[in-house]
Amino acid sequence: MEAERRGRTDGLGSVIRRHRRWAPVVVLVLLCAIIAMVNPRFIDPFNLVRLLNAAAIPTVLVMGATFVILMGSIDLSVEGVLAVSAVLASAMVANNFTSADFGLWAVPAGILLGLAIGGVNGVAHVTLRIPSFMTTLGIGFVAVGVATAILQGDTVRISDKGFRALSLERILGIPAGVWIAVAAVLVALFIQERTRMGRWLYAIGGDEATARQAGVPIERTRVMAFAVAGAFSGLAGVMAAAQLGQGHALMGQGRLFVTITAVVVGGTALSGGVGSVLNSVVGVLIVVVLFNGMVLMGLPPFAQQGVQGLLIIAAVAMALDRSRLSFVK
Amino acid sequence: MPAKWKTELVRFIPLITLLGLVALVATIEPSFVRFSTLTVLVSDTMTLFLMASGATFVILMGGIDLSVQAVASMTSVVVAALLPELGVLAVPVAVAAGLIAGAAGGISHTLLRIPSFISTLAVSGVVTTAAFLFSNERSINISGETRDAHLAWMVGEFAGVQAEIWVGLILLLVLLFVQIWTPIGRFCRIIGAGEQAAIASGIRVDRIKVYAFMLSGATAGFAGVMMAARLGSGSPTLANEFLLPSIAAIIVGGTALTGGVGSVWRTFIGALIIAVVRIGMTFVGVSVFAQQIVFGLVLVLAVAVTIDRSKILIVK
Amino acid sequence: MSRAVSAVLEVSHATKSFPGVVALDDVTFEVRANEVVGLIGENGAGKSTLLKVLTGVYPLDEGEVLVNGESARLRGPRDAFDHGVAMVFQEQSVLITLSVAENIFLGREAEFTRGGVLLKAKMHAAARVELQKVRLDVDPATSCADLTFAQRQMVEIAKALSLDSRIDGDIVVLLDEPTSVLEAKEIELLFEIVRDLRDRAAFIFISHRLDEVLAVSDRVYVMRDGAIVGEMASADATTEKMHELMVGRALQHEYYRENRQGEPGEEIALSVSGLAAAGFTDVSLALRKGEILGIAGVVGSGREDLARALAGLAPISAGEVSVNGRPVRLTSPSDAVGAGIGYVPRERKVEGIVAGASVVENMTMASIDDFISLGIIRHGRERKVAQSWIDRLRIRTPSTETMVGSLSGGNQQKMVLSKWQIAGSSIMVLDHPTRGVDVGAKEDVYELIRDMTDQGLSIILLGDTLEELIGLSHKILVMRDGRITATFDAPVGAKPEQIELITHMV
């Protein structure tokens, strides 16, 4: 009876809560509509393809970041892992730095390297019992450091056409990089929905103590999540190398905060337990569309950061379901 | 008794770590422990400490301030632009600008209930844009005379020691005072340790939070002034690459990222640990290209050693 | 011998100590196949410790746990589960971030996994079977966030019962205060379910509602001070007898210091009229100076919501509150504190204390402004006041600088009470003030409550038990479904009976 009575008084609130899930999508649609009205060139197929292309690498990055954030942890090693995987991949295909020419073997190699570094992140975090913020920060430094040490400040230039096709080749008029990103989303969605690890991420982020009592292997799941996140960052590194035709130690610069912003704007809570990789795809699109729109509207580059900052606050304020959070940190 | 000793020991682990690192570098390269070398090292570290000092309060609260580097860059521009006109008064203006930026991060965090991670990140973008606008997208030089006239107290020398060190020590004392003797300092820690109990006791938690972000903005602003004074110019990107080291300094000092445990003096030690690792590597002869690898590893190890796990149940 | 064989779960000569406390003292306890065993005792009597031993959370100092007559070393709830012992936790362990099916099978997904792929359809089908057992008609894919508390409790029970189709032989289900969030109808349903499943499972039923225990169980154990002090067939037991065993004496009026129950003053300290908020409507009451006003009601009656609204922790939608004749607006806890209302929360560890802060910091938390001059916290003055309260309330703490988290529950609660007295609160809202407080310290708390009223403080009390509520209060309001349904005067010598209150509660 009590429950019914409450249900009734909360009726409106719960309707809003149920629909709040869709807030990021609403933000995205509104944003597109406004930009298209101001500048119709936005919906030009050319621009739309450019947009998708710009979203490809961030999309791959947020897949892993979402898994980690769902646990309530954070992965700051994104830039480092991306850089070192890009350097490895570019050094394995035909290039001006090494005499290697392993062709597409560079792809699994880059992913595996990312997986390994992610695994180190997880193992250090779990066994040393230090916050993931610090382990991934430190190991991110190490990864950039390794790339720097190998190249001594140089840049690897790729001459392998087949490898570059991974990003540039068009299939159905859309660059291959976008298709790779779509595949990455499907894989991530599969992991999230159809594997034990995926479901355990939600359990750990929701209440770690209870999950442990139920027999969820917390440590193993944490390590696996960081490893998977690393693998996605590694794939992003390979894609970046293919897109830019080069590999260097600073390839990842500026990627980290875009990644985390996209995850949060998409509606995944930094406190863990709530969210989805699909949310993060929407988050990436919001960030990319916003950026594209500002360029189309002719905003000077320096002003873009400011506008982006303001709009991110607005988007998060709208999208975040705070009814489940008693307080926010 | 031994249990008490142990807790006392845990308290001083960051300091012990620092001394151990100094000793380590010194055994390999004795010239490291010369007075002049060490004072240069400490004075070089003060900008990092300034930047991390106020942010310590935010982390004590369990929040995070990602806007410190953007704020410091912005105030470097402000002070460089206003110094010729306002003289030394440009310094409080710049610090006030930082304070306002901090307040913006804190207010958007508390009022809109969005995580401080996001609110301060967004404020960074806004502040950077403001700095670009203010500086017309270029760096602003501070002439030698202007600097000597108005900023000598900050970058000169006093009693045979670099002025930066005196400034840093005075700020440390002021912030320790705030931490121990004022309600803001105490409640930052209490909020970090038990926010709901603080709310139920009638503490105006949101107000304290905004104050902490303002403090963080002001010290970051002050750090920007010191950077501009040392480098003789201000630029909208001057403090880039300072954000993560400043957070690292706070954590390596032993302040918990989850809040509730920590101190400004720990951040002072943490900043020095980071400086000793960085400079020490050069002394020991680690190649420039490999330094970042060592730095990252030492960072993880330093946190593993200095963090007090007894007060943290679940590590995220 | 035959008895030993038929015992599915057994504890023999179990002893467990914690620093300073013997939590279990040579306890021998058994559950036979197809039996419902009641376990009663006051808070702190050792029930929780016994449960934690049975589920492998605590290892025993001495004695052993036997499952189906064989000595078993249980390493945790999961291990106990695999041995056929399932626990329904008092504090809900349903994860609202997961679906119903995922909660039921959390940690045991392997059985629905083929080649690393989780077969959701199969899992949902299995969940439906389990949900049927508890007659909960929800889609297994529903997120638990969208369920009511009672439904979540049923999911929790379904999770425990899912053991039955997965273990050969008998299972034992531990129900720790399962009725505390349930309505009368749901409690009846739960009992039916328990009776239905008896041929497949044995139950241990823990509740502080003695009538419930008698209604559902075959046999009852009574615990006090870490020991089993009585074991009887339910048919032979009466509420009075169990009560006597639990408390160790017949109900004594001295226990609640009824001799110190004075006449409240004439002035109205707190008056509430037509108050409404989420969980209750149209509540009016008047609290006199020096009066203890008890509020009775089951969970969900709205009494806790009322307490939180008065503490400024829940938004008020209608009505007026006046303190000492002056109207006050309670939009935040700081408003309530400013108006002189102190709140002692039910969840002490969350809202009552800051475990990681010192005793003195906790004590002056609500009144720090009184200790500040020229913007500076006067540590000396603060410590002096704290020390005087430590002495006065006999709070056992090594010093004023000790972390509150390391004190015992009773001492923590005394410290919370002193916090509000230091803040000069004239009205105290006590929400389960003796929860998690051991028996000895409980009497200290009662003594303190009487001291406070002697000094003219007025108290709104949500008691841990009805008996406590009746023993302490001058006057009792009963709430049901968000409204006040009855008012009783409770003067010394003419206190209402529990049953009189209960008829208005359910």
Side-chain angles (χ1 to χ4, degrees):
Chain A
M1 242 132 298
E2 148 72 9
E4 276 172 33
R5 198 167 44 72
R6 276 213 179 154
R8 229 176 292 132
T9 50
D10 288 359
L12 188 67
S14 78
V15 167
I16 292 174
R17 204 186 67 204
R18 256 197 301 270
H19 291 282
R20 186 153 229 160
R21 289 179 52 194
W22 299 101
V25 178
V26 174
V27 169
L28 178 60
V29 171
L30 279 178
L31 200 60
C32 290
I34 292 169
I35 296 169
M37 270 191 284
V38 177
N39 191 335
R41 265 201 300 154
F42 176 73
I43 43 173
D44 187 287
F46 242 22
N47 188 54
L48 291 179
V49 169
R50 191 186 311 156
L51 224 139
L52 288 177
N53 207 21
I57 293 174
T59 301
V60 173
L61 286 175
V62 294
M63 293 300 103
T66 306
F67 287 160
V68 173
I69 291 177
L70 274 178
M71 293 190 300
S73 297
I74 201 150
D75 184 356
L76 302 183
S77 69
V78 166
E79 296 180 353
V81 175
L82 185 144
V84 79
S85 291
V87 168
L88 175 73
S90 57
M92 278 180 73
V93 298
N95 69 86
N96 69 338
F97 192 78
T98 64
S99 54
D101 185 8
F102 295 103
L104 290 181
W105 284 108
V107 179
I111 296 174
L112 281 177
L113 179 61
L115 184 95
I117 301 174
V120 173
N121 272 332
V123 169
H125 161 55
V126 165
T127 56
L128 298 176
R129 286 177 47 75
I130 49 183
S132 54
F133 192 100
M134 284 314 293
T135 48
T136 57
L137 178 64
I139 286 164
F141 279 138
V142 172
V144 174
V146 168
T148 312
I150 293 170
L151 296 181
Q152 308 276 312
D154 271 354
T155 296
V156 186
R157 300 200 182 281
I158 297 172
S159 49
D160 187 328
K161 290 262 160 37
F163 179 70
R164 295 215 55 196
L166 283 178
S167 171
L168 306 179
E169 178 80 31
R170 295 202 170 207
I171 302 165
L172 300 176
I174 291 172
V178 176
W179 293 113
I180 294 178
V182 170
V185 172
L186 292 176
V187 169
L189 194 60
F190 177 82
I191 295 174
Q192 175 186 295
E193 291 297 318
R194 290 292 169 139
T195 68
R196 281 184 284 171
M197 183 194 116
R199 305 320 296 168
W200 286 341
L201 296 178
Y202 286 88
I204 292 174
D207 182 353
E208 183 166 325
T210 301
R212 190 185 292 279
Q213 268 182 345
V216 173
I218 310 283
E219 280 74 21
R220 206 175 77 206
T221 310
R222 283 190 166 278
V223 172
M224 278 167 71
F226 277 98
V228 171
F232 279 110
S233 299
L235 173 61
V238 173
M239 290 167 70
Q243 189 177 44
L244 300 174
Q246 51 178 256
H248 59 84
L250 301 177
M251 294 259 297
Q253 252 183 5
R255 300 265 188 200
L256 171 63
F257 286 123
V258 174
T259 303
I260 294 170
T261 304
V263 171
V264 176
V265 168
T268 297
L270 281 175
S271 45
V274 183
S276 154
V277 291
L278 289 182
N279 281 70
S280 300
V281 173
V282 177
V284 167
L285 289 175
I286 291 175
V287 172
V288 171
V289 165
L290 187 62
F291 188 74
N292 180 274
M294 287 189 297
V295 174
L296 283 180
M297 290 181 192
L299 238 62
F302 68 83
Q304 288 170 5
Q305 292 188 58
V307 176
Q308 201 171 344
L310 291 175
L311 289 177
I312 283 167
I313 291 188
V316 174
M318 271 178 75
L320 214 60
D321 180 1
R322 273 148 297 182
S323 62
R324 284 182 193 170
L325 309 171
S326 54
F327 54 92
V328 182
K329 290 221 158 153
Chain B
M1 242 357 224
K4 201 178 166 193
W5 285 4
K6 207 178 146 196
T7 55
E8 283 300 300
L9 194 68
V10 167
R11 240 167 89 85
F12 289 106
I13 279 180
L15 188 60
I16 296 165
T17 308
L18 175 64
L19 296 177
L21 282 170
V22 171
L24 185 72
V25 179
T27 49
I28 299 170
E29 181 50 62
S31 70
F32 183 70
V33 283
R34 253 189 255 142
F35 181 72
S36 60
T37 317
L38 289 179
T39 53
V40 167
L41 181 137
V42 176
S43 67
D44 284 347
T45 311
M46 286 305 109
T47 35
L48 180 65
F49 166 64
L50 256 53
M51 211 153 171
S53 59
T56 307
F57 288 85
V58 174
I59 291 189
L60 262 179
M61 240 164 34
I64 199 158
D65 187 353
L66 299 182
S67 67
V68 286
Q69 78 177 22
V71 169
S73 300
M74 182 265 289
T75 59
S76 79
V77 172
V78 170
V79 80
L82 298 183
L83 210 50
E85 275 176 59
L86 296 182
V88 76
L89 276 181
V91 176
V93 172
V95 172
L99 185 128
I100 291 167
I107 290 171
S108 54
H109 162 53
T110 52
L111 210 64
L112 301 174
R113 294 176 61 72
I114 54 182
S116 53
F117 193 102
I118 295 296
S119 74
T120 56
L121 190 59
V123 164
S124 302
V126 176
V127 163
T128 304
T129 298
F132 272 111
L133 278 175
F134 194 76
S135 67
N136 289 322
E137 299 175 64
R138 56 192 173 79
S139 63
I140 301 171
N141 285 322
I142 301 172
S143 71
E145 303 114 65
T146 328
R147 175 162 72 165
D148 292 343
H150 305 301
L151 295 176
W153 56 276
M154 203 176 206
V155 288
E157 205 169 279
F158 181 78
V161 176
Q162 286 87 335
E164 288 97 325
I165 299 181
W166 293 114
V167 172
L169 285 174
I170 290 167
L171 187 75
L172 172 64
L173 290 177
V174 168
L175 290 180
L176 272 177
F177 176 83
V178 170
Q179 182 186 309
I180 298 169
W181 299 89
T182 72
I184 298 175
R186 171 178 296 182
F187 288 140
C188 277
R189 187 164 48 78
I190 284 189
I191 290 169
E195 181 160 352
Q196 281 166 290
I199 292 171
S201 296
I203 294 168
R204 292 191 168 84
V205 164
D206 284 355
R207 199 181 290 179
I208 302 282
K209 283 185 172 178
V210 174
Y211 288 150
F213 281 95
M214 285 164 74
L215 190 59
S216 177
T219 55
F222 196 45
V225 172
M226 187 183 268
M227 274 183 205
R230 285 173 62 99
L231 299 171
S233 77
S235 120
T237 55
L238 192 72
N240 278 10
E241 306 306 317
F242 261 84
L243 171 62
L244 294 178
S246 67
I247 294 174
I250 297 170
I251 309 300
V252 167
T255 296
L257 208 44
T258 40
V261 189
S263 168
V264 179
W265 75 262
R266 286 172 169 274
T267 301
F268 191 82
I269 303 292
L272 288 175
I273 289 178
I274 286 186
V276 168
V277 172
R278 282 210 159 145
I279 308 300
M281 282 193 289
T282 310
F283 266 82
V284 175
V286 177
S287 122
V288 185
F289 294 113
Q291 283 189 2
Q292 204 162 4
I293 303 176
V294 179
F295 182 65
L297 290 176
V298 173
L299 208 58
V300 173
L301 288 178
V303 177
V305 172
T306 57
I307 198 170
D308 181 0
R309 290 175 187 76
S310 62
K311 287 173 184 157
I312 304 163
L313 292 177
I314 287 176
V315 185
K316 282 200 164 171
Chain C
M1 266 325 272
S2 68
R3 214 183 118 152
V5 172
S6 66
V8 274
L9 180 63
E10 210 177 335
V11 176
S12 112
H13 301 289
T15 297
K16 174 77 192 168
S17 318
F18 296 106
V21 210
V22 179
L24 287 185
D25 187 7
D26 193 28
V27 167
T28 296
F29 173 96
E30 63 167 31
V31 192
R32 298 163 206 157
N34 315 329
E35 187 183 37
V36 181
V37 172
L39 177 60
I40 59 170
E42 291 206 87
N43 286 335
K47 290 174 302 186
S48 312
T49 311
L50 180 56
L51 288 182
K52 285 184 174 156
V53 165
L54 290 173
T55 50
V57 176
Y58 293 153
L60 282 172
D61 297 345
E62 279 167 54
E64 56 179 351
V65 179
L66 298 97
V67 179
N68 292 322
E70 278 171 44
S71 183
R73 183 166 284 280
L74 304 177
R75 288 182 306 268
R78 178 57 204 274
D79 195 32
F81 201 90
D82 293 339
H83 278 85
V85 180
M87 166 106 177
V88 175
F89 291 92
Q90 179 179 2
E91 273 152 36
Q92 292 206 345
S93 66
V94 166
L95 288 163
I96 59 166
T97 52
L98 297 182
S99 75
V100 171
E102 284 165 356
N103 263 295
I104 293 176
F105 298 113
L106 182 64
R108 295 176 293 135
E109 295 84 350
E111 111 184 49
F112 310 104
T113 310
R114 291 288 169 279
V117 182
L118 203 58
L119 306 172
K120 283 207 172 170
K122 196 173 169 208
M123 189 165 164
H124 287 168
R128 254 178 232 116
V129 173
E130 303 305 331
L131 288 172
Q132 227 151 41
K133 287 186 197 161
V134 296
R135 298 171 208 176
L136 184 60
D137 185 25
V138 297
D139 181 355
T142 317
S143 163
C144 281
D146 297 331
L147 300 186
T148 64
F149 278 103
Q151 287 174 319
R152 289 180 200 171
Q153 183 75 46
M154 288 301 174
V155 171
E156 181 86 35
I157 294 168
K159 180 177 172 178
L161 293 178
S162 69
L163 186 56
D164 139 68
S165 39
R166 279 153 191 88
I167 290 267
D168 297 330
D170 292 306
I171 66 163
V172 184
V173 178
L174 281 52
L175 299 165
D176 187 8
E177 305 260 2
T179 56
S180 58
V181 299
L182 300 183
E183 297 295 313
K185 242 204 291 190
E186 293 155 348
I187 292 172
E188 202 37 59
L189 174 65
L190 173 67
F191 288 177
E192 262 176 57
I193 294 168
V194 168
R195 287 184 202 110
D196 279 2
L197 294 170
R198 286 181 54 165
D199 54 334
R200 286 182 285 173
F203 291 87
I204 301 176
F205 183 83
I206 295 111
S207 176
H208 59 262
R209 300 184 191 176
L210 300 183
D211 47 335
E212 279 178 5
V213 175
L214 286 185
V216 77
S217 45
D218 306 307
R219 208 153 50 87
V220 182
Y221 284 98
V222 185
M223 286 191 81
R224 187 178 73 228
D225 300 336
I228 301 273
V229 291
E231 184 217 331
M232 63 192 105
S234 297
D236 306 333
T238 59
T239 326
E240 288 73 36
K241 203 154 134 199
M242 289 199 294
H243 192 275
E244 205 176 312
L245 282 169
M246 266 167 69
V247 187
R249 58 194 140 57
L251 178 54
Q252 284 171 358
H253 300 293
E254 295 96 78
Y255 190 55
Y256 298 109
R257 307 296 186 270
E258 285 184 21
N259 57 326
R260 295 189 54 196
Q261 177 170 333
E263 250 325 287
E266 280 307 309
E267 309 111 89
I268 303 291
L270 173 79
S271 98
V272 170
S273 73
L275 201 67
F280 66 90
T281 43
D282 196 25
V283 166
S284 299
L285 58 85
L287 174 66
R288 287 186 292 167
K289 197 164 182 241
E291 185 179 42
I292 301 177
L293 177 64
I295 302 181
V298 298
V299 170
S301 62
R303 64 171 185 157
E304 273 136 31
D305 302 295
L306 173 64
R308 296 188 71 77
L310 289 175
L313 283 160
I316 290 168
S317 53
E320 271 149 41
V321 180
S322 317
V323 174
N324 296 323
R326 231 172 292 131
V328 290
R329 274 167 51 82
L330 301 174
T331 54
S332 70
S334 50
D335 287 345
V337 175
I341 301 174
Y343 175 59
V344 177
R346 169 199 277 256
E347 298 294 338
R348 182 173 59 242
K349 291 205 168 89
V350 180
E351 288 186 327
I353 61 163
V354 177
S358 69
V359 170
V360 58
E361 285 170 335
N362 268 282
M363 279 190 173
T364 58
M365 200 152 71
S367 54
I368 194 71
D369 291 344
D370 301 342
F371 297 93
I372 292 174
S373 45
L374 304 171
I376 295 167
I377 300 176
R378 297 297 162 144
H379 289 173
R381 206 193 303 163
E382 215 183 15
R383 252 176 236 138
K384 224 164 90 190
V385 170
Q387 191 58 52
S388 75
W389 281 95
I390 289 171
D391 297 341
R392 211 162 130 189
L393 306 189
R394 295 192 307 275
I395 300 175
R396 252 180 275 161
T397 169
S399 81
T400 54
E401 307 308 311
T402 307
M403 292 292 140
V404 170
S406 65
L407 304 186
S408 74
N411 285 306
Q412 288 177 355
Q413 195 66 308
K414 287 186 195 172
M415 193 221 70
V416 176
L417 288 168
S418 71
K419 170 172 79 182
W420 294 116
Q421 297 194 69
I422 291 170
S425 304
S426 58
I427 296 158
M428 296 267 208
V429 178
L430 308 182
D431 188 352
H432 295 74
T434 54
R435 189 178 234 219
V437 170
D438 48 48
V439 182
K442 248 183 207 178
E443 295 196 45
D444 284 354
V445 171
Y446 297 143
E447 191 84 29
L448 257 168
I449 289 175
R450 293 294 182 204
D451 287 348
M452 293 193 293
T453 53
D454 284 353
Q455 290 151 29
L457 268 74
S458 311
I459 290 172
I460 291 197
L461 174 72
L462 279 60
D464 208 24
T465 59
L466 269 184
E467 182 198 311
E468 176 182 290
L469 190 78
I470 295 168
L472 288 172
S473 303
H474 289 91
K475 197 170 146 189
I476 297 166
L477 301 180
V478 183
M479 287 184 76
R480 186 179 66 211
D481 294 342
R483 290 173 189 279
I484 294 177
T485 49
T487 307
F488 291 90
D489 280 319
V492 182
K495 298 250 175 197
E497 292 296 318
Q498 295 193 14
I499 188 70
E500 294 178 63
L501 302 186
I502 291 169
T503 47
H504 294 277
M505 281 162 64
V506 291

